[in-house]
Amino acid sequence: MKPLPAFLAAAKDLLGPKGWTDDPEKRLAASTPWRGSYQGDTPFIARPASTAEAAALVKLCVQHNIAITPQGGNTGLVDGGTPHGEVCVSMTRMTAVREVDPFNNSMTIEAGATLVSAQETADAANRLFPLSLGSQGTATLGGLISTNAGGVAVLRYGMMRDLILGLEVVLPSGEIWDGLSGLRKNNTGYDLKHLFAGAEGTLGLITAATFKLFPKVQRATAWVIVATAEDVVKLLALVRDHAGDSVTSFEIIPANAVAMVAADIPGTRDPLPANAEWRVLVEISQPRAEQAEALLTSALEAGAEAGLVQDAAIAASDTQAKSFWHIRETIPLSKRAYGTALNQDISVPISRIPAFIKACNAAVRAIVPLAEFVIFGHVGDGNLHYSVVEPAGSGDRVLKAHEAAVTHCVFETVTAFGGSISAEHGVGRLKRDELARLRPPAATEAMRAIKKALDPQNIMNPGRVISV
Ligand SMILES: Cc1cc2nc3c(=O)[nH]c(=O)nc-3n(C[C@H](O)[C@H](O)[C@H](O)COP(=O)(O)OP(=O)(O)OC[C@H]3O[C@@H](n4cnc5c(N)ncnc54)[C@H](O)[C@@H]3O)c2cc1C
């Protein structure tokens, strides 16, 4: 849809010289996703500086029937925030901290602020904002809410949905819904904020949010060698029995990923070379460092006694803990250096992870006999990043030729194991049609009815999540 000159003139007038651009390089950057795996386009980038401006812009879009794609840091992985012909509404000028209330354990920040800046705001108030993930320097709060992002501390603190107390949203009509609130108890009918968490910009433009804050904690981190996926699952249960809710992260990393990272990323090395197939990154948090370390040590001793821990290194410093995490967080980057990889972000019940890995690998190898796998992620949440990588020496040919069959086979196996084909990255355009096929028809119809009721003109991020 090409915007009419009348719309462009009115939008420029509304937003002022700093509030828009049609510079070709900026349009190209906004239309190119992080992975660079496809190319979108946009005629115009709007950059509202306030909720009032954002609302007036949406009203203008309604008037001229112009579709928009909200965009934060453009780090999404499902083709949700990259425009495909829509006007791009970049939220990156709306970064103000509106309120921090350490006694209510809450803070209100505008949607274009990055996750790192939100963590720093909480820290300055002697509080913790616990969401943490690899893209946190660029991903924005609006994008993280819209994708209901997960990350590495979900085990203890939940996903983004669990961390919001209230929202301010410009609805597709251009009306502002002020749902900002620091209340933890508020049973007054439908809880609208949960509609917008995970809606990927299809139901409105999030302009600000009130978040939960937590007491600051000290962490103890260990790099653990484990023989089998069965042992990984048993170790998770044992560590949780031992340390309860203080287990903050429990990440699984295969030996081949460690080798990839060590070969690709300068300055990284395997912290504890071993022949075993799996490593686990465990983090325990407590108010005091010595409590965290004591709990982690005794949990790992119990794991060793049970024959689940082959070897382990507890980080002796923050720097060493960061070097463990650096390996985990650079797996996606180093994987990109290896030609074609078919990446899926899936979840299955934790107890079924070992059987799922065996069944799915076998099913994929029935299609591509020499396929290799890099399987890592948030095993404590049942969430695996399951990647099929090109057989060594085959260039880019083999997987590309079988991409559709391999993807279908992974999704079918996930479904057979009672899992989800999108654990934390969302739906976007990438998984929209597969989800329409796999989810119960009644759910799709209910979602479609909500979308049509709120956005009858289908101007908010059309074609993402659900087709209408
Ligand atoms: C290296 C790397 C690591 C990652 N690790 C994780 C991880 O561990 N866990 C995880 O969950 N994700 C992860 N991601 C995915 C990504 O960072 C998240 O999806 C993030 O939430 C997107 O934020 P963003 O600001 O970049 O949003 P964008 O990519 O700009 O947009 C994402 C979606 O939100 C919508 N949107 C953006 N802002 C708004 C707004 N203000 N109002 C309404 N809709 C809006 C967009 O239209 C789009 O549909 C990772 C990505 C990378 C590149």
Side-chain angles (χ1 to χ4, degrees):
M1 188 188 318
K2 211 169 161 81
L4 302 168
F7 166 80
L8 291 176
K12 289 174 186 175
D13 198 37
L14 167 76
L15 297 163
K18 286 190 184 157
W20 64 274
T21 179
D22 56 7
D23 176 74
E25 270 183 35
K26 296 205 168 100
R27 290 193 286 122
L28 182 68
S31 311
T32 309
W34 179 79
R35 276 195 180 126
S37 44
Y38 52 85
Q39 186 60 57
D41 70 292
T42 184
F44 184 75
I45 303 175
R47 304 178 66 231
S50 68
T51 304
E53 262 183 31
L57 176 73
V58 172
K59 278 198 175 134
L60 204 61
C61 292
V62 172
Q63 226 178 325
H64 292 265
N65 201 25
I66 299 292
I68 60 182
T69 293
Q71 191 175 84
N74 197 17
T75 66
L77 299 172
V78 291
D79 197 2
T82 310
H84 288 266
E86 298 87 359
V87 163
C88 179
V89 181
S90 166
M91 298 302 290
T92 49
R93 279 176 85 207
M94 291 193 61
T95 59
V97 176
R98 294 199 191 161
E99 189 189 28
V100 181
D101 184 345
F103 293 104
N104 191 50
N105 281 308
S106 61
M107 63 178 182
T108 301
I109 307 187
E110 291 184 346
T114 63
L115 176 52
V116 160
S117 74
Q119 292 165 346
E120 287 169 354
T121 300
D123 191 61
N126 198 29
R127 293 289 180 271
L128 171 74
F129 184 59
L131 195 78
S132 175
L133 39 81
S135 55
Q136 60 195 24
T138 312
T140 63
L141 298 172
L144 294 155
I145 296 167
S146 299
T147 58
N148 185 27
V152 296
V154 172
L155 195 55
R156 177 157 188 187
Y157 297 101
M159 297 186 61
M160 187 51 137
R161 181 190 299 285
D162 303 303
L163 301 174
I164 52 176
L165 292 169
L167 291 183
E168 179 186 81
V169 181
V170 175
L171 300 172
S173 60
E175 253 180 290
I176 298 169
W177 170 54
D178 181 354
L180 291 175
S181 157
L183 297 177
R184 276 153 174 89
K185 286 190 161 183
N186 181 13
N187 272 349
T188 51
Y190 303 149
D191 198 344
L192 290 181
K193 63 179 180 286
H194 289 304
L195 259 189
F196 299 97
E200 299 181 32
T202 59
L203 299 180
L205 195 55
I206 297 168
T207 46
T210 305
F211 300 96
K212 290 180 193 167
L213 295 177
F214 296 82
K216 276 166 89 165
V217 286
Q218 303 294 325
R219 291 159 200 255
T221 310
W223 181 270
V224 187
I225 308 292
V226 183
T228 64
E230 286 82 357
D231 285 356
V232 170
V233 168
K234 285 183 194 159
L235 182 63
L236 170 64
L238 182 147
V239 171
R240 294 197 87 193
D241 283 348
H242 210 84
D245 277 349
S246 61
V247 187
T248 311
S249 304
F250 199 94
E251 300 283 309
I252 191 174
I253 302 167
N256 63 354
V258 182
M260 258 182 197
V261 171
D264 284 350
I265 313 282
T268 51
R269 64 181 182 83
D270 188 343
L272 207 53
N275 286 327
E277 198 181 349
W278 300 100
R279 280 92 185 105
V280 170
L281 192 50
V282 192
E283 201 158 85
I284 280 181
S285 47
Q286 285 281 295
R288 294 207 312 276
E290 60 275 17
Q291 294 170 322
E293 200 172 316
L295 255 184
L296 182 58
T297 306
S298 62
L300 292 178
E301 279 168 3
E305 264 171 43
L308 302 172
V309 171
Q310 295 209 333
D311 200 356
I314 295 183
S317 62
D318 262 9
T319 312
Q320 197 179 13
K322 278 187 187 137
S323 73
F324 293 171
W325 276 109
H326 184 64
I327 294 175
R328 160 66 186 85
E329 275 158 7
T330 44
I331 295 172
L333 281 175
S334 87
K335 201 153 46 64
R336 283 205 303 179
Y338 282 78
T340 305
L342 302 179
N343 305 305
Q344 297 301 341
D345 159 48
I346 61 97
S347 61
V348 292
I350 296 168
S351 52
R352 306 187 78 182
I353 285 175
F356 165 78
I357 292 175
K358 274 193 193 116
C360 204
N361 289 3
V364 170
R365 282 214 168 116
I367 302 167
V368 182
L370 296 176
E372 290 170 23
F373 304 92
V374 178
I375 302 165
F376 66 102
H378 319 296
V379 73
D381 315 320
N383 176 192
L384 299 176
H385 299 311
Y386 182 94
S387 296
V388 185
V389 294
E390 193 69 27
S394 65
D396 252 6
R397 296 181 320 269
V398 177
L399 271 187
K400 279 222 169 98
H402 293 95
E403 182 169 348
V406 168
T407 303
H408 183 78
C409 153
V410 174
F411 288 174
E412 290 299 312
T413 314
V414 168
T415 307
F417 275 79
S420 166
I421 66 163
S422 182
E424 61 172 5
H425 293 162
V427 182
R429 289 159 44 111
L430 193 71
K431 292 185 178 171
R432 180 196 61 202
D433 296 339
E434 273 302 295
L435 275 165
R437 184 174 74 78
L438 293 171
R439 78 160 84 75
T444 299
E445 279 319 306
M447 288 169 74
R448 202 167 270 146
I450 292 167
K451 169 73 175 164
K452 281 183 178 164
L454 285 182
D455 184 12
Q457 281 176 249
N458 195 20
I459 61 163
M460 290 297 309
N461 222 6
R464 279 68 167 187
V465 182
I466 190 153
S467 54
V468 289

